[in-house]
Amino acid sequence: EAGVAQSPRYKIIEKRQSVAFWCNPISGHATLYWYQQILGQGPKLLIQFQNNGVVDDSQLPKDRFSAERLKGVDSTLKIQPAKLEDSAVYLCASSLGYRVGYTFGSGTRLTVV
Amino acid sequence: TQLLEQSPQFLSIQEGENLTVYCNSSSVFSSLQWYRQEPGEGPVLLVTVVTGGEVKKLKRLTFQFGDARKDSSLHITAAQPGDTGLYLCAGEEGAQKLVFGQGTRLTINP
């Protein structure tokens, strides 16, 4: 089975610019997650979708971050405007259900200069 | 959001030695998952433990879930350089939400 696809792999932008990341989950996985992983730390959940509805976005900085999942498949995460502290790896994951584990993509490494 | 504490944060040992990594919380989780992450890649699921006291083995890796479902351990026997990586524990809260520990960076020296 194909894995979780993410693009781009790397992105360098200047502060105050905008950026968007794309994720295509495993076919049939209803639940999709975006995590932020700062260097040296574990991943932190930003937003969780169930099909195309938001389940949890309590840790998403909504003044600058937005995410959508159109038609319950692909998802995009946007940052506008970016700050230096947004430099991190952005991981997308999908899951088939409860207690079965996540499958992660390879992530997008964002550097804000 | 519940917190998970992993220890140690860094561990460097010689090939052939044994090691144990701990994952602790004051809260109960419905499951506890262990992932391994290599540089430039996303975490890869190693195991999911669900029942208190459960022990699972994956070749030289042994995973245990605490009786109260608040803590877990990962034991590696006869470590090999290929075991090098970042080991992450993650607790599952309601609605399929995973909370991750900060990770243990393991280095096995030949």
Side-chain angles (χ1 to χ4, degrees):
Chain A
E1 110 187 313
V4 175
Q6 287 189 248
S7 67
R9 285 299 307 271
Y10 306 93
K11 191 74 177 179
I12 301 175
I13 61 172
E14 295 183 349
K15 59 183 179 184
R16 292 187 289 275
Q17 286 187 324
S18 62
V19 64
F21 313 126
W22 173 82
C23 173
N24 181 237
I26 291 176
S27 177
H29 282 197
T31 314
L32 183 148
Y33 312 82
W34 284 101
Y35 278 82
Q36 180 193 59
Q37 187 175 25
I38 293 173
L39 187 65
Q41 299 181 16
K44 183 185 89 170
L45 179 68
L46 292 175
I47 189 166
Q48 176 184 351
F49 291 95
Q50 182 74 21
N51 295 309
N52 60 350
V54 176
V55 174
D56 185 346
D57 64 356
S58 58
Q59 297 192 78
L60 187 73
K62 298 180 187 65
D63 58 333
R64 298 183 302 105
F65 286 65
S66 64
E68 62 181 4
R69 189 180 184 195
L70 298 176
K71 300 180 182 178
V73 182
D74 293 7
S75 177
T76 56
L77 176 69
K78 298 179 181 178
I79 307 175
Q80 181 179 8
K83 293 184 176 181
L84 296 177
E85 59 260 36
D86 298 332
S87 294
V89 175
Y90 290 85
L91 295 164
C92 178
S94 67
S95 174
L96 192 57
Y98 187 53
R99 295 179 174 178
V100 296
Y102 292 8
T103 302
F104 281 87
S106 297
T108 296
R109 181 174 295 278
L110 174 67
T111 303
V112 183
V113 297
Chain B
T1 300
Q2 303 172 74
L3 295 177
L4 279 166
E5 295 284 338
Q6 281 188 243
S7 62
Q9 289 192 41
F10 300 93
L11 184 58
S12 180
I13 62 172
Q14 294 301 118
E15 181 177 0
E17 294 183 353
N18 302 331
L19 66 108
T20 302
V21 176
Y22 299 93
C23 177
N24 295 295
S25 174
S26 58
S27 302
V28 176
F29 292 101
S30 58
S31 77
L32 203 295
Q33 300 173 16
W34 285 90
Y35 291 78
R36 181 176 156 212
Q37 186 176 22
E38 302 205 30
E41 297 298 327
V44 175
L45 179 68
L46 296 174
V47 76
T48 300
V49 284
V50 175
T51 306
E54 182 176 2
V55 177
K56 281 192 175 179
K57 292 192 175 184
L58 186 65
K59 296 184 180 178
R60 294 174 294 98
L61 279 60
T62 302
F63 304 86
Q64 184 162 7
F65 202 9
D67 290 341
R69 291 189 289 131
K70 294 182 179 181
D71 55 84
S72 181
S73 63
L74 158 61
H75 182 79
I76 301 179
T77 303
Q80 299 177 2
D83 296 328
T84 293
L86 179 67
Y87 289 81
L88 295 159
C89 69
E92 188 167 23
E93 300 179 327
Q96 302 171 229
K97 174 182 169 182
L98 277 186
V99 175
F100 282 85
Q102 77 272 39
T104 294
R105 189 162 299 280
L106 176 63
T107 303
I108 310 299
N109 303 300

